[in-house]
Amino acid sequence: MKIDIISVIPDLLQSPFAHSIMKRARDKNLLEVNVINLRDYTTYARAQVDDYAFGGGAGMVMMIEPLVNAIESLQKTTTYDDVIFLTPDGKTFNQQMANSFSLKNNLLMICGHYKGIDERVREHFITKEISIGDYVLSGGELAAAVLVDAIGRLIPGVLNDETSALTDSFQDNLLAPPVYTRPVDFRGWKVPDVLLSGNHKLIEEWRHTEAINRTKERRPDIMDAD
Ligand code: 6GU
């Protein structure tokens, strides 16, 4: 999969994909991430990409021309499955959306800044508008990093143990059960006996029960989700 990201602060998007599972995905050529500097596509002086909002009011708006220049230039060589605008008024991102994006070939993400982007870009180029939660970030970059991470790890072949994504929290509308590792006894705080029993059927039953109890207690809202 290739993910292109248009940003006015490309530096913000270097480290998030340079480590751990994202690094492995890129090293294995299962994921390609390119960060495009919007300022390379402006025709205005001093690399200007934003301007005052018509009608007045505080806050700048990202101008249509640099964005359309960048999008159309990228579209000359790539057909995107989706052009995603990261914005707090978008649809809230979730695991189902991550699953479905992980099966795409090419995604273009656009990081919003200031008071947003000229509405005409949204009307004519954006196919999906996504938020990562009900709070406001300074810009879409961190949200884009969240999407790339959540999507990238689901690309077939990225995780070592293919089944491990299946036991993630949210994958089956259940939170993940508790996990333990050595030592068996720390200050008298013991690992549950069942996990040491070697009885895989019992262990699976215990994990499923724990997952259900934990979900009922912490996130009853996701249990009845589709
Ligand atoms: Cl995608 N962008 C910004 N600026 N703030 C957000 C967000 C996105 N999602 C939640 N808050």
Side-chain angles (χ1 to χ4, degrees), residues 16 20 32 53 57-58 62-63 66 72 75 77 84-85 99 104 119 130 138 143-145 148 154 163-164 187 205 216:
S20 179
E32 177 185 338
M62 290 171 77
M63 303 165 90
E72 288 188 334
Q75 282 177 332
T77 52
I84 300 166
F85 177 44
N99 285 338
K104 307 287 184 187
E119 187 67 19
I130 295 178
S138 317
V148 172
L154 295 174
T163 63
S164 72
R187 298 182 181 170
E205 281 168 12
K216 273 186 189 153

Side-chain angles (χ1 to χ4, degrees), residues 86-88 112 130-133 135-140 143:
L86 284 313
T87 175
I130 295 178
S131 161
I132 61 164
Y135 42 81
V136 178
L137 303 169
S138 317

Side-chain angles (χ1 to χ4, degrees), residues 3 6 53 57 81 83 86 101 120-121 153 172 181 214 226:
I3 303 180
I6 298 175
D81 298 286
V83 180
L86 284 313
F101 282 129
R120 292 166 291 185
V121 178
R153 61 192 292 285
D172 46 8
T181 186
R214 186 163 272 202
D226 50 55

Side-chain angles (χ1 to χ4, degrees), residues 54-155:
F54 280 125
M60 306 292 274
V61 176
M62 290 171 77
M63 303 165 90
I64 190 166
E65 289 135 305
L67 281 167
V68 171
N69 283 345
I71 294 167
E72 288 188 334
S73 158
L74 292 164
Q75 282 177 332
K76 279 191 190 129
T77 52
T78 305
T79 302
Y80 294 102
D81 298 286
D82 269 306
V83 180
I84 300 166
F85 177 44
L86 284 313
T87 175
D89 61 5
K91 186 164 184 242
T92 308
F93 189 60
N94 62 27
Q95 191 68 25
Q96 274 84 20
M97 291 156 86
N99 285 338
S100 108
F101 282 129
S102 74
L103 304 173
K104 307 287 184 187
N105 293 316
N106 299 302
L107 297 174
L108 177 58
M109 298 187 183
I110 298 173
C111 303
H113 266 269
Y114 319 110
K115 280 288 163 199
I117 64 177
D118 191 299
E119 187 67 19
R120 292 166 291 185
V121 178
R122 299 172 73 153
E123 285 168 16
H124 296 285
F125 291 90
I126 302 297
T127 62
K128 296 237 161 65
E129 303 192 323
I130 295 178
S131 161
I132 61 164
D134 290 344
Y135 42 81
V136 178
L137 303 169
S138 317
E141 280 77 9
L142 296 181
V146 166
L147 261 70
V148 172
D149 190 297
I151 294 165
R153 61 192 292 285
L154 295 174
I155 297 170

Side-chain angles (χ1 to χ4, degrees), residues 195-211:
L195 296 178
L196 311 172
S197 69
N199 184 332
H200 294 295
K201 187 165 175 289
L202 267 186
I203 292 171
E204 275 322 300
E205 281 168 12
W206 179 86
R207 286 184 170 150
H208 189 61
T209 305
E210 289 293 317

